[in-house]
Amino acid sequence: MSTPTRRFKRLITGGVVTTGVLVATLFTGTAGAVAAPDVQPGPEPTVHTQEAYAPEDDFTSKWTRADARQLARLSDPAAPSRENSMPASLTMPEVPKDFPDMSNEQVWVWDTWPLTDEDGNQYSVNGQEIIFSLVADRSLGFDERHHYAKIGYFFRPAGVPTDERPENGGWTYGGLVFDEGVTGQIFEDQSFSHQTQWSGSARIMKGGEIKLFFTDVAFYRDAAGADVKPYDPRIALSVGKVHATPNGVKLTGFDKVTDLLQADGTYYQTGEQNPYFNFRDPFTFEDPAHPGETYMVFEGNSAMQRESATCDAEDLGYREGDPYAETVEAVNASSATLQIGNIGLAKAKNDELTEWEFLPPILSANCVTDQTERPQFVFKDGKAYLFTISHRSTFADGIDGPEGVYAFVGDGIRSDFQPLNNGSGLALGNPTNLNYPGGQPFAPNVDQHPGHFQAYSHYVMPGGLVQSFIDTIGTSDNFVRGGTLAPTVKIDLDGDTSAVDYSYGSDGLGGWADIPANIDVNPGGKVQ
């Protein structure tokens, strides 16, 4: 697929997004004047205008190699073994090993999302806060969980101060959302070896109705575990109701699944183009610049054949004459062409949100990273902030950066997005030493910082709060695995910079599994 160019653009009038009251208050803190970190020699980042385009336009912003190479420029080359080499202002505080388990050892817990409205506000229902999580039975090994994930839910009383809650956050596990067999019904080929559910988002509607958007997945493997054909991920919707009382929360419905979107091979890579493709993690929202219109962002890959994918000069993004620039030929001769992640956009065609159409991707990361997981938007001060998460191991050849949250700012949901913080994009990374390999979560490198794999799957909440799950804490000589939610942390945004708020909680770490509602769905006003 050829890359869209600027000649197709149609500017949004004035290039400015006007936010509503709820959206404009998603972040209440400001970072103030953030001092620029020291940077090592290297290429200059790509020039981005932040200019906005209409959502339907054929313009895709690029997270370029020149941008992503700023990550290494932010790293201290003299940082010794087991020390963090990245700026403290962009690093998540260290999570201790003696963490409490939010499920009381009932299930593994990882990707988590709250009950929200179209503006990203988080709702309690009749005084109960509700979250959805990927869960798996603890009889499985922690690293087996992905192929057998189910969506479960938790609830707790709203408005309780953190220091008055149980240490594990005070959540009660409500069980699975779906009965066995419900989510497998949408697949025409029923010969799947196993079927699972991956991340999404949950929208609260009138009358306590919940629209649960998620990734419905079927695997086709033989008895030896080899793929018979590519796995089949689909973006799906199921509708149910929440019933909350002071005594607890019950969900009803969720007995039918609607198939919304399958990768098209034109904008978004398919299993035929690449058996290892990504297509998942729907997040729905209303664009403040287009009231009444509902959009969805999701993780995808650029629609090229895996074995013949290439990147061009725009993907590299170097300024003319930059002495640190790579050549297109050299990059295409490397394995970097295997990493061609993007962030997709779709638009709802009806009020029921059961019919959707693909729009061109809003961001590509060709030859930068293979994964742009769990994308979401936050709107603040007339700007659109696009967040995504990525692994160190999924960066392309020649690119290195921490596990964590990456962020981009523009004037609308389709913009020439500026990566935050010296053009690097890093907003909140795990403590990482880029001078040493990371290893794997099940075998972390002994020379790496113990927090290298401490948390992942970060979700940005109202007020700049950020939630994630614990993966691995420690190094190969002494480490523990997670499977529960990490402490909440806070980041402050200021234009094209961000910073960790170390005054929040205790040295930057808030309550364990703290996901507070900021709106109650019933009369009574804002939760205090």
Side-chain angles (χ1 to χ4, degrees), residues 43-46 48 62-71 311-318 326-328 330-332 334-337 339 364-369 395-400 423:
E44 293 301 308
T46 304
H48 297 277
K62 292 181 179 293
W63 187 13
T64 68
R65 286 181 66 87
D67 294 329
R69 286 180 66 191
Q70 304 310 305
L71 294 164
C311 297
D312 60 24
E314 291 185 2
D315 296 317
L316 275 57
Y318 295 109
E326 303 162 294
T327 67
V328 172
V331 172
N332 284 334
S334 73
S335 64
T337 57
Q339 280 73 42
S364 67
N366 297 335
C367 291
V368 171
T369 185
F395 278 114
D397 185 17
I399 303 294
D400 199 5

Side-chain angles (χ1 to χ4, degrees), residues 333-349:
S334 73
S335 64
T337 57
L338 299 177
Q339 280 73 42
I340 50 174
N342 69 18
I343 294 177
L345 185 68
K347 180 180 179 180
K349 298 171 65 176

Side-chain angles (χ1 to χ4, degrees), residues 35-97:
D38 293 333
V39 294
Q40 303 303 315
E44 293 301 308
T46 304
V47 175
H48 297 277
T49 66
Q50 302 188 31
E51 192 172 45
Y53 303 82
E56 294 78 12
D57 274 1
D58 197 5
F59 173 82
T60 298
S61 186
K62 292 181 179 293
W63 187 13
T64 68
R65 286 181 66 87
D67 294 329
R69 286 180 66 191
Q70 304 310 305
L71 294 164
R73 296 188 70 194
L74 293 175
S75 178
D76 178 3
S81 171
R82 299 199 184 204
E83 295 294 326
N84 178 42
S85 72
M86 304 303 291
S89 62
L90 306 180
T91 299
M92 182 176 179
E94 293 182 42
V95 178
K97 286 182 178 178

Side-chain angles (χ1 to χ4, degrees), residues 245-450:
T245 71
N247 297 320
V249 171
K250 179 182 178 181
L251 301 180
T252 59
F254 300 110
D255 53 6
K256 177 185 176 183
V257 174
T258 301
D259 187 350
L260 301 182
L261 293 168
Q262 300 176 39
D264 62 348
T266 300
Y267 293 124
Y268 307 107
Q269 194 177 55
T270 65
E272 288 69 32
Q273 293 171 322
N274 176 11
Y276 311 107
F277 77 117
N278 299 302
F279 183 73
R280 59 177 182 252
D281 302 348
F283 173 86
T284 69
F285 64 98
E286 186 172 297
D287 179 10
H290 300 84
E293 298 284 0
T294 296
Y295 295 89
M296 174 197 297
V297 286
F298 54 90
E299 177 188 5
N301 288 119
S302 299
M304 293 183 273
Q305 291 288 340
R306 175 180 171 85
E307 64 276 7
S308 59
T310 59
C311 297
D312 60 24
E314 291 185 2
D315 296 317
L316 275 57
Y318 295 109
R319 302 185 193 185
E320 185 174 355
D322 193 321
Y324 295 95
E326 303 162 294
T327 67
V328 172
E329 294 75 18
V331 172
N332 284 334
S334 73
S335 64
T337 57
L338 299 177
Q339 280 73 42
I340 50 174
N342 69 18
I343 294 177
L345 185 68
K347 180 180 179 180
K349 298 171 65 176
N350 63 355
D351 292 339
E352 293 74 29
L353 308 184
T354 57
E355 298 179 9
W356 294 77
E357 62 180 341
F358 280 128
L359 297 174
I362 56 172
L363 183 77
S364 67
N366 297 335
C367 291
V368 171
T369 185
D370 193 51
Q371 292 190 343
T372 50
E373 297 185 275
R374 300 195 69 194
Q376 63 174 118
F377 270 111
V378 167
F379 300 96
K380 177 183 181 290
D381 298 336
K383 294 288 188 178
Y385 288 88
L386 175 63
F387 293 91
T388 189
I389 53 178
S390 202
H391 290 287
R392 187 180 184 190
S393 62
T394 60
F395 278 114
D397 185 17
I399 303 294
D400 199 5
E403 311 247 321
V405 186
Y406 291 83
F408 309 83
V409 62
D411 291 330
I413 65 171
R414 184 179 298 281
S415 294
D416 184 9
F417 287 108
Q418 169 70 43
L420 265 57
N421 299 317
N422 293 76
S424 70
L426 182 63
L428 180 68
N430 282 342
T432 301
N433 193 324
L434 294 190
N435 302 320
Y436 296 91
Q440 298 293 334
F442 52 83
N445 182 11
V446 69
D447 287 316
Q448 187 49 245
H449 189 287

Side-chain angles (χ1 to χ4, degrees), residues 2 16 27 63 118 121 130 160 193 195 204 206 218 225 333 373 409 508 520:
S2 61
V16 176
F27 277 90
W63 187 13
E118 66 278 6
N121 291 290
I130 302 163
V160 178
S193 55
Q195 197 271 313
I204 184 75
K206 292 181 179 178
E373 297 185 275
V409 62
D520 194 283

